[in-house]
Amino acid sequence: MTAEGRAGKRGGRLWRLLGRSEAGAPGEDLAAEPAAAPCTRIGDCAREAAGRPVVRVTGTVRQVRERSVAGMPALEARLDDGSASLNVVWLGRRAIAGVEPGRAMVASGRIAVTDGEAVLFNPRYQLQARGQE
């Protein structure tokens, strides 16, 4: 295979990982998925966590902190929707641009319960535009 062929193959794989076709048209965009399904109240997530379902929640980021999980960095945000709050944790991240207190966010992922609290690990997320909170 030629160098151009290998580069094209790798580039196509990258576009698929980003959720876009090679032409740049939206495909199964991972970032777009949170806006597609109805939201679950965070207060209802703890009851549903036993089966570890995939949930979609929306709320306001109340607190952001960096911590360590199993020796690796993690960014933790506390998301609150008025009914309850849950932790959203991105493993291997120290910061994410725009994830800050007061920012509205939609997140989706498989719910887990850690130390009696609902947690979304490495969720798909979408920050809401400022002024649309």
Side-chain angles (χ1 to χ4, degrees):
M1 180 178 284
T2 67
E4 285 179 358
R6 283 192 301 275
K9 189 173 183 178
R10 282 193 307 266
R13 194 174 321 142
L14 176 61
W15 280 110
R16 283 191 299 280
L17 288 172
L18 292 173
R20 297 184 176 100
S21 71
E22 292 180 50
E28 294 180 304
D29 190 356
L30 298 180
E33 191 219 73
C39 288
T40 301
R41 287 174 8 112
I42 293 174
D44 295 336
C45 287
R47 287 189 293 263
E48 296 178 11
R52 292 188 39 103
V54 173
V55 297
R56 179 178 177 262
V57 295
T58 185
T60 303
V61 175
R62 295 294 178 206
Q63 179 183 22
V64 178
R65 70 182 182 126
E66 183 185 336
R67 62 179 221 168
S68 178
V69 175
M72 84 169 124
L75 181 68
E76 179 180 80
R78 190 82 175 156
L79 191 64
D80 185 314
D81 73 351
S83 69
S85 59
L86 62 76
N87 289 326
V88 179
V89 179
W90 291 274
L91 301 171
R93 303 292 300 263
R94 294 186 192 281
I96 297 175
V99 176
E100 56 195 32
R103 191 74 185 261
M105 175 192 299
V106 177
S108 68
R110 193 163 303 278
I111 194 83
V113 175
T114 304
D115 298 327
E117 292 196 32
V119 180
L120 284 177
F121 286 102
N122 295 323
R124 295 176 175 156
Y125 69 96
Q126 183 176 23
L127 297 170
Q128 300 301 307
R130 297 197 187 277
Q132 292 183 357
E133 289 106 11

